[in-house]
Amino acid sequence: MSAITRFASIFFFASAAQLALAAPVEERGSFSGDGTYYNTGLGSCGWWSKDTDYIVAVNAPQMANGANPNNNHNCGKWINVKGPKGSVNVFTVDTCPDCAYGSLDLSPAAFAKIADMSAGRVHITWNWA
């Protein structure tokens, strides 16, 4: 193997490792908690939503709002949620101040994709898309 080939291989693997570690640890795993639903409206990201939209309010610890929640880097991120009845992709628009770490508050339309509405609260797993 020539020196150039060896350098190119090392550079490629080092770059790939950096890309794999580029996302914060918080964004690389799967989380679990309670899934609930709420009546939507103006979210902490500054966007209006309807109950028929596939949106989510992320628990306060994981949403990590700063001084201006409209500028939160989590606003607009997609989340994959799995519940007892199925899965749904939801768009982050709000913060759930009362939700525990790992829990999400979904729009009624999104909740109906993963559970029966009568359940009100179900165990979920989720990850940032």
Side-chain angles (χ1 to χ4, degrees):
M1 183 183 280
S2 73
I4 293 173
T5 305
R6 209 175 10 243
F7 173 78
S9 296
I10 292 169
F11 179 77
F12 172 77
F13 288 115
S15 297
Q18 285 178 336
L19 286 174
L21 297 173
V25 172
E26 182 65 25
E27 295 181 13
R28 287 199 313 248
S30 180
F31 308 98
S32 64
D34 289 338
T36 54
Y37 66 92
Y38 72 112
N39 294 318
T40 62
L42 179 62
S44 65
C45 294
W47 305 325
W48 286 93
S49 302
K50 301 177 298 219
D51 288 353
T52 55
D53 294 333
Y54 292 144
I55 57 98
V56 64
V58 176
N59 65 79
Q62 288 180 282
M63 190 63 169
N65 285 321
N68 182 353
N70 291 183
N71 295 329
N72 188 314
H73 72 283
N74 288 322
C75 291
K77 285 190 176 178
W78 287 94
I79 292 177
N80 301 313
V81 184
K82 291 183 180 134
K85 196 171 120 180
S87 62
V88 66
N89 292 324
V90 290
F91 193 68
T92 305
V93 299
D94 204 356
T95 305
C96 178
D98 297 328
C99 291
Y101 184 93
S103 296
L104 300 175
D105 213 2
L106 304 161
S107 64
F111 188 87
K113 291 285 186 184
I114 64 157
D116 292 324
M117 296 299 288
S118 60
R121 177 180 302 270
V122 295
H123 179 77
I124 58 166
T125 58
W126 63 275
N127 63 283
W128 299 100

